[in-house]
Amino acid sequence: MTEALHSLVGKGLLVIPHLRVQNANAISSPLTHGFPSITAFLGLQWALERKLVEAGIDNLFFEKVGVVCHWHEEQVQDGFVKNFRLTRNPVDKDGSTAAIVEEGRIHLDISLVFQIGVDDTAPGNPFTLEQAERQALAWTIRELLSTMRIAGGSVIHHQPPPGQFITPWLIALDADAEKRAEQFRKLRRRLLPGFALVGRDDLLAQRLQQLQQQDAKASTLDAWLDLARFNWRSHEEPGADGKTKLVWSHDRPKDAGWLVPIPVGYSALSDVHAAGQVANARDTETPLRFVESVYSVGQWVSPHRMHSISDLLWWPDSQVERGLYRARSSYLPPAPEPDEPTVSGVPDASASASLNTAAAAAH
């Protein structure tokens, strides 16, 4: 199953550029805000696939999703301490003032990239259609997507400025790796200017190893919090005149770029309950499990710095036995310079799960 998911042979890409989303959820988890959780976009691709089935397009399978942000405007009051701009709700039925519920909202201009698989047994392979037919299908999907919610936000129609194109496209990935790389080079130019959110579990493992060299009791939570900020420290260095001088430096990883703490999924707090067993559940036909957020580190990377379409995409990894449901990124960072130290190993799901437990305890 995993090999078929990551294989690009016989797959295609659906690109929906420059969607304008209004009032999306800016609070991505109990501990983070500033951009919707990547799990919201994984949920979007599943909901879109079901929407297409209802519309009679049942031979497309949405396997992975990538998101590129071109513009954002979080609805906050600017200042040293940022406060969300809250809405005043209508009065209650008795005329009293309704309670204010804190909601984080954000306006977005994003492009979505979906990795698409096809059902070979179903008639009408979309990748074998003529260009005009494929274009019409892409527009149909975009129109369906415009009727849906994206991370709780509404898709609004807008007049694109000069030089900005909102035309979606559906392409078949070439079986030849070199030709496929050329396809991605053309794609990433169309996604500029913008930044794509990718996962950097490797930096979390590296920072944890560094902290444990100083303190054996350091946890994944310590490493996560450490990467979420710039840690400036002072030290003395000899000057040219023979006197010592005070120098300030930070421990941000070299060429780390724009790092952000992000939620990547959920970890189980309970066993799986049978459908209808839990009172007051919203869905009485689906098994239910209580969960909490799992955290990791993400990075905003410009598409022109990526070398493969896989670098852009996220995919779901559900491990029911371990109680872990998380999104994984296929991003491969550039190889380190020869003089840079390397850290072997990338944290598996247990690393994020331990961070999740520690964060919950601290919260």
Side-chain angles (χ1 to χ4, degrees):
M1 177 64 181
T2 303
E3 294 180 0
L5 176 67
H6 298 304
S7 174
L8 297 177
V9 178
K11 303 296 179 61
L13 293 178
L14 171 65
V15 184
I16 312 291
H18 291 286
L19 285 167
R20 188 61 63 90
V21 184
Q22 187 178 54
N23 290 332
N25 184 15
I27 303 178
S28 53
S29 75
L31 300 178
T32 57
H33 76 95
F35 193 79
S37 171
I38 196 64
T39 56
F41 297 99
L42 288 175
L44 172 67
Q45 74 167 0
W46 293 326
L48 179 57
E49 182 176 324
R50 292 194 294 267
K51 196 89 169 180
L52 292 177
V53 171
E54 295 175 358
I57 307 172
D58 57 358
N59 55 350
L60 295 179
F61 300 106
F62 288 72
E63 298 177 339
K64 298 182 181 181
V65 62
V67 55
V68 178
C69 183
H70 306 283
W71 168 85
H72 72 282
E73 184 181 82
E74 190 174 18
Q75 300 301 290
V76 294
Q77 299 288 347
D78 291 331
F80 182 76
V81 177
K82 296 184 181 296
N83 299 313
F84 289 117
R85 300 174 189 168
L86 304 179
T87 58
R88 170 68 71 180
N89 299 324
V91 296
D92 290 336
K93 59 183 179 180
D94 59 356
S96 61
T97 302
I100 295 179
V101 179
E102 188 173 38
E103 295 177 328
R105 297 174 292 112
I106 186 171
H107 302 334
L108 300 169
D109 181 3
I110 57 175
S111 293
L112 299 177
V113 181
F114 299 98
Q115 177 179 305
I116 303 294
V118 296
D119 185 359
D120 297 330
T121 62
N125 187 332
F127 300 139
T128 61
L129 298 175
E130 296 294 332
Q131 174 62 27
E133 294 177 295
R134 283 209 312 269
Q135 192 63 58
L137 177 58
W139 271 113
T140 299
I141 297 176
R142 183 185 176 103
E143 291 301 320
L144 284 174
L145 185 58
S146 298
T147 66
M148 301 172 61
R149 293 274 185 168
I150 298 180
S154 304
V155 179
I156 61 175
H157 294 279
H158 69 287
Q159 184 67 32
Q164 184 182 103
F165 301 94
I166 63 172
T167 301
W169 65 93
L170 180 66
I171 61 173
L173 292 173
D174 201 286
D176 182 72
E178 293 185 1
K179 294 181 180 179
R180 197 162 57 237
E182 178 61 27
Q183 287 179 311
F184 179 61
R185 282 192 288 270
K186 294 180 180 179
L187 167 64
R188 66 187 185 185
R189 285 198 297 267
R190 298 185 183 186
L191 297 176
L192 296 174
F195 290 89
L197 183 62
V198 300
R200 294 304 306 268
D201 289 355
D202 57 311
L203 291 180
L204 187 61
Q206 180 178 338
R207 181 52 58 91
L208 176 60
Q209 186 181 79
Q210 293 171 350
L211 292 181
Q212 288 181 340
Q213 291 175 354
Q214 304 170 11
D215 182 3
K217 296 182 179 180
S219 66
T220 316
L221 175 61
D222 296 321
W224 185 69
L225 293 174
D226 208 56
L227 281 173
R229 60 180 182 256
F230 281 85
N231 302 296
W232 290 90
R233 297 180 176 87
S234 64
H235 61 279
E236 294 183 345
E237 290 185 357
D241 55 359
K243 298 181 180 179
T244 59
K245 61 179 181 179
L246 193 65
V247 177
W248 287 86
S249 61
H250 62 81
D251 56 3
R252 200 73 163 181
K254 184 180 179 181
D255 300 327
W258 186 359
L259 298 181
V260 287
I262 59 171
V264 292
Y266 305 95
S267 178
L269 291 173
S270 69
D271 295 331
V272 179
H273 300 283
Q277 183 178 355
V278 178
N280 301 322
R282 290 188 298 175
D283 187 349
T284 59
E285 299 179 356
T286 305
L288 184 145
R289 195 172 203 175
F290 293 97
V291 297
E292 59 183 349
S293 295
V294 173
Y295 301 91
S296 187
V297 174
Q299 180 180 357
W300 290 102
V301 180
S302 178
H304 80 279
R305 297 187 180 275
M306 298 181 176
H307 303 287
S308 169
I309 184 60
S310 298
D311 289 345
L312 182 64
L313 303 175
W314 291 80
W315 51 280
D317 179 21
S318 298
Q319 303 178 33
V320 180
E321 298 78 11
R322 301 183 62 182
L324 190 69
Y325 310 85
R326 64 160 295 179
R328 293 196 179 274
S329 172
S330 303
Y331 177 74
L332 294 176
E337 298 295 333
D339 59 341
E340 292 184 8
T342 57
V343 177
S344 61
V346 175
D348 60 6
S350 59
S352 294
S354 63
L355 167 61
N356 167 57
T357 303
H363 188 61

